């Protein structure tokens, strides 16, 4: 497939998931880094940057989950999954929920005077970041990025 | 007495000869059948090996996944001649080709993995 063959890329039944997944991964990890920096440096601006990264990360999980499930239904005809594929599916769903949860925690205080972000968000963000990394690792393993193809 | 000995020896020789002929035919038949009917394709390191095989009509091809990750074996024609479930490590999928033709196939998880079965 030619990389600039838009038609082929759009019609490839499970290529979209592999492309789109990079957005929430990158945005979430950067968002968490900014939030930890904001906590450490006590800078409101960094917290705002973290919020917008987490916001877009949460939104971008929707097409990722949809295309992932469509890939399962189209390419594998929805057959019962096991092993790495099942782990990737379960951990992917858990990662998406945690990304949205982290954004929701931030949203409750964003733009509100006197509201402070709760401290418990940090361990949640750390766990979510690890889960995202492991899910991404499994996805890369499955897609064969290290293979000869 | 001498006649009885000849009859016994003759019968024994006939029996041995008959058994050898039958066994020989069976052995010949089964070895020819094995050649025609059993072909294995190994899936390893994101590739099918051998990528192209030629078999006879009625032959069964078995794909075995020796890779660390799951793969599938799906024919590219429409309607699909064959389609495996997801094969984890060491799992097998077999299909018997009952008609002549060329059957290209691929792994639906890794579409760059392709192969071909030529049935003559």
């Amino acid at each position: 497939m030619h990389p600039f063959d838009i038609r082929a890329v759009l019609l490839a039944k499970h290529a979209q998931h592999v492309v789109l997944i990079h957005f929430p991964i990158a945005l979430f990890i950067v968002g968490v880094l900014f939030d930890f920096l904001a906590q450490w440096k006590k800078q409101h601006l960094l917290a705002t940057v973290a919020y917008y990264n987490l916001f877009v990360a949460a939104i971008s999980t929707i097409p990722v989950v949809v295309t992932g499930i469509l890939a399962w239904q189209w390419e594998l005809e929805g057959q019962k999954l096991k092993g790495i594929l099942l782990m990737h599916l379960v951990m992917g769903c858990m990662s998406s929920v945690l990304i949205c949860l982290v954004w929701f925690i931030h949203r409750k205080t964003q733009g509100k005077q006197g509201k402070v972000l709760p401290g418990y968000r940090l361990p949640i963000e750390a766990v979510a970041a690890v889960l995202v990394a492991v899910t991404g690792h499994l996805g890369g393993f499955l897609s064969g990025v290290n293979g000869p193809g | 007495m001498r006649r009885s000995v000849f009859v016994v020896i003759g019968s024994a020789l006939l029996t041995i000869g008959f058994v050898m002929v039958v066994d020989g035919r069976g052995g010949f038949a089964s070895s020819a059948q094995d050649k025609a009917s059993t072909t294995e394709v190994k899936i390893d390191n994101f590739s099918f090996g051998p990528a192209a095989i030629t078999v006879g009509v009625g032959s069964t091809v078995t794909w075995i996944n020796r890779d660390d990750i799951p793969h599938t074996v799906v024919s590219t024609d429409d309607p699909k001649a064959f389609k495996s479930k997801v094969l984890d490590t060491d799992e097998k999928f077999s299909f018997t080709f009952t008609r002549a033709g060329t059957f290209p196939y691929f792994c639906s998880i890794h579409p760059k993995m392709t192969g071909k079965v030529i049935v003559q």
Side-chain angles (χ1 to χ4, degrees), chain A residues 14 79 82 141-142 149, chain B residues 69 85-86 91 109-110 112:
Chain A
H14 75 326
Q79 64 181 276
K82 56 184 177 176
F141 196 61
L142 279 169
Chain B
I69 63 169
K85 64 180 181 64
V86 177
E91 284 190 332
I109 304 173
H110 313 100
K112 281 188 175 180

Side-chain angles (χ1 to χ4, degrees), chain B residues 43 46-48 67 71-72 105-107 110-115:
Chain B
I43 306 171
F46 293 92
S47 59
F48 295 103
D67 215 341
H71 294 289
T72 64
Y105 64 88
F106 72 115
C107 167
H110 313 100
K112 281 188 175 180
M113 288 174 58
T114 58

Side-chain angles (χ1 to χ4, degrees), chain A residues 85-103:
Chain A
L85 278 167
L86 180 61
M87 279 173 65
H88 181 66
L89 175 69
V90 171
M91 292 177 84
C93 290
M94 287 168 62
S95 299
S96 300
V97 169
L98 281 178
I99 288 172
C100 293
L101 176 67
V102 168
W103 165 71

Side-chain angles (χ1 to χ4, degrees), chain A residues 14-118:
Chain A
H14 75 326
Q16 294 85 0
H17 178 73
V18 182
V19 174
L20 294 173
I21 188 59
H22 295 87
F23 290 93
I25 291 175
L27 289 163
F28 181 71
I29 289 175
V30 169
V32 168
L33 284 175
F34 272 115
D35 193 34
F36 274 75
L37 271 176
Q39 182 76 15
W40 180 37
K41 297 285 185 185
K42 306 290 181 200
Q43 284 193 22
H44 186 259
L45 179 63
L46 291 174
T48 305
V49 172
Y51 170 77
Y52 283 109
N53 273 279
L54 295 171
F55 172 55
V56 183
I59 287 177
S60 62
T61 58
I62 297 167
V64 166
V65 170
V66 169
T67 52
I69 289 172
L70 285 178
W72 172 31
Q73 295 300 314
W74 281 342
E75 289 300 309
L76 303 177
E77 294 181 351
Q79 64 181 276
K80 193 176 177 183
L81 298 180
K82 56 184 177 176
I84 299 174
L85 278 167
L86 180 61
M87 279 173 65
H88 181 66
L89 175 69
V90 171
M91 292 177 84
C93 290
M94 287 168 62
S95 299
S96 300
V97 169
L98 281 178
I99 288 172
C100 293
L101 176 67
V102 168
W103 165 71
F104 184 72
I105 292 169
H106 279 255
R107 184 180 174 276
K108 285 199 295 186
T109 57
Q110 176 63 24
K112 290 175 183 166
Q113 292 292 331
K115 282 256 185 179
V116 182
L117 279 164

